[in-house]
Amino acid sequence: MMRHKEIEKLIQKKLDREITEDEEIFLLEHLKQCADCNAYYLQLEQIKDEILNLTEFFPKADFNARIFARIHTRRTTLWHKLIPTLISAYFASLLVLLFSPLSRHFSQKVLIAIPSILQISFKIEPVVKGIGLLISSLIKIDLTQLLFGFFLSLFLFYVFIKAIKSNKEEKWAIQKFC
């Protein structure tokens, strides 16, 4: 039995092309005499040949898209999940502004403040681009979509802050005159 373990090691060395001449002669002599070891060697030789003759398969670039289309599944990204939320928040804030008891003076202030917001945005654009590139590389969102969401959020934040301040100022003015 011990001899067959040594023969198995020699067969592996032969298949790996690491066998010496003396070991190969010894192995071939044993394979002529032992049918079991010869069958084992032929099986391993056949497996080696089949592995070397395997063809590599690389799917085309649109492989995933075709599979998803076939099973009627769509990939959803984080951005696709956030779009409805951002749109609904934007329209909700517009409705609040339209139907709120804010004065026309406040609406005029918001319309006048938009150019100054644009000037500020041009000054901080390089910083925002850098942060956007960092974040987009982390979460794989397109930079334009990320910047749109960021500026929309800034605009909504600005409008809500102004609405709160204006509302407080109106209350103070009313209390002052009463």
Side-chain angles (χ1 to χ4, degrees):
M1 192 70 170
M2 184 66 174
R3 185 172 176 153
H4 289 287
K5 294 272 185 195
E6 292 173 12
I7 297 299
E8 285 180 15
K9 288 180 184 178
L10 289 176
I11 290 173
Q12 287 298 324
K13 283 178 103 177
K14 179 162 176 57
L15 293 173
D16 294 338
R17 296 181 182 160
E18 296 175 353
I19 195 169
T20 64
E21 285 184 39
D22 294 335
E23 292 172 332
E24 187 173 5
I25 293 170
F26 177 73
L27 174 66
L28 293 176
E29 288 297 322
H30 179 79
L31 293 178
K32 288 179 188 175
Q33 298 169 0
C34 181
D36 291 336
C37 290
N38 192 21
Y40 178 72
Y41 171 72
L42 292 175
Q43 286 176 344
L44 288 179
E45 188 72 37
Q46 183 181 7
I47 291 170
K48 178 186 169 191
D49 291 340
E50 288 178 11
I51 288 174
L52 292 175
N53 292 328
L54 283 177
T55 57
E56 291 187 45
F57 174 74
F58 295 102
K60 294 180 182 175
D62 65 339
F63 177 75
N64 286 346
R66 287 185 290 135
I67 295 297
F68 285 130
R70 203 164 201 193
I71 60 174
H72 306 293
T73 304
R74 218 178 78 193
R75 270 189 165 170
T76 57
T77 60
L78 178 63
W79 183 249
H80 286 97
K81 293 177 183 176
L82 288 177
I83 287 175
T85 307
L86 291 174
I87 290 173
S88 59
Y90 178 72
F91 283 116
S93 65
L94 285 178
L95 287 173
V96 166
L97 286 175
L98 286 174
F99 296 112
S100 68
L102 298 175
S103 67
R104 290 181 186 228
H105 179 70
F106 172 71
S107 302
Q108 290 172 351
K109 280 185 177 181
V110 169
L111 292 176
I112 291 172
I114 289 175
S116 62
I117 293 172
L118 291 175
Q119 288 177 351
I120 291 171
S121 69
F122 290 134
K123 290 180 182 177
I124 63 170
E125 183 180 5
V127 175
V128 171
K129 280 188 178 180
I131 293 170
L133 284 172
L134 175 68
I135 293 171
S136 68
S137 67
L138 294 175
I139 57 176
K140 305 292 183 205
I141 292 178
D142 187 29
L143 182 61
T144 55
Q145 294 171 339
L146 188 64
L147 288 175
F148 174 76
F150 178 74
F151 284 120
L152 179 64
S153 300
L154 280 178
F155 176 73
L156 292 174
F157 182 74
Y158 175 79
V159 168
F160 283 126
I161 294 297
K162 285 294 185 178
I164 291 170
K165 284 183 180 178
S166 174
N167 199 8
K168 285 182 181 178
E169 290 173 3
E170 285 179 8
K171 285 181 182 178
W172 184 79
I174 291 171
Q175 289 175 354
K176 183 178 175 184
F177 289 112
C178 290

